[in-house]
Amino acid sequence: MNAPETARHLPDPATVRDLSRRTALLEFLVNPDGHYRKYGFTSGWRPGWDLATMDNGGGDEYAVALSDTAGVIRCFDHESQMSPYANDEEFWPGTVDALPAEFAPFLADPDFNGGDELSVSALLWRLPGDASWRTGVEGERDDGSGWLLGGLCDGDPAAYHHEHFQDYYGCSLGLDSVRAVFEGRPLTEEVAAGVNSTVDPGELLRRAAAYSS
């Protein structure tokens, strides 16, 4: 998928924020020591805004700035033909030049741009009052947004991340425990044990409480 199609599958900003927070929490439970964790979530990143990030360590990443009613998403697929690095360090038409002015400061923020202002293969945004996410890109070139944002677009995010983290970490996760995290159920020792059998459940819950506070 490219950005126009991805925009049609993304839920509203509040749902994106909940999914992002729970994805980061789930990965913390799976990997509390932090080695090679991909997902992050910062509440209160800027006044009125939270920040969700993903970095796979291989040059592909996204950042999502979210308020209660608005959001802006930066995607970077380093192998995309729409990367500035494949186009003489020029942004693809309809990405940065179409971004509403109120979101422009985010692109200059190292927390949002990943320390590289050229790391943009797709941008999507949603202003207060918008009925859906938008992008300025036209055409059908693959910009990486579909697979980068797959966990936010999937109709069953628990099943998506159950499979994803099992593959990424080479471990076995209990699907019901994963669903408990994504449904916002209370974290119990049973849930903790279902996603991480190597750490004492009580200790894992204590560390998770500190992480998410």
Side-chain angles (χ1 to χ4, degrees), residues 79-162:
E79 294 186 344
S80 170
Q81 294 179 336
M82 297 175 69
S83 163
Y85 292 106
N87 295 282
D88 298 320
E89 298 192 353
E90 296 287 339
F91 294 111
W92 193 267
T95 52
V96 172
D97 56 307
L99 185 70
E102 48 264 70
F103 292 137
F106 292 129
L107 291 182
D109 192 310
D111 290 346
F112 187 81
N113 67 32
D116 180 2
E117 292 187 29
L118 290 178
S119 58
V120 178
S121 60
L123 286 174
L124 301 100
W125 58 87
R126 186 158 169 168
L127 292 165
D130 282 348
S132 62
W133 292 83
R134 295 190 284 143
T135 183
V137 174
E138 297 180 359
E140 298 180 353
R141 287 180 182 265
D142 185 4
D143 53 32
S145 62
W147 71 268
L148 285 168
L149 302 175
L152 298 175
C153 295
D154 196 275
D156 189 347
Y160 178 96
H161 285 293
H162 176 256

Side-chain angles (χ1 to χ4, degrees), residues 12-18 21 47-50 65-71 126-129 133:
D12 62 85
T15 301
V16 170
R17 179 164 53 187
D18 285 344
R21 181 187 291 113
W49 292 88
D50 299 330
L66 296 155
S67 72
D68 290 336
T69 58
R126 186 158 169 168
L127 292 165
W133 292 83

Side-chain angles (χ1 to χ4, degrees), residues 14 16-26 41 43 50 52 181 211:
V16 170
R17 179 164 53 187
D18 285 344
L19 288 173
S20 299
R21 181 187 291 113
R22 291 167 186 176
T23 299
L25 175 58
L26 174 62
F41 187 87
S43 296
D50 299 330
V181 174
Y211 168 79

Side-chain angles (χ1 to χ4, degrees), residues 3 28 68 107 135 167 197 206:
F28 179 87
D68 290 336
L107 291 182
T135 183
D167 179 65
S197 61
R206 286 189 290 275

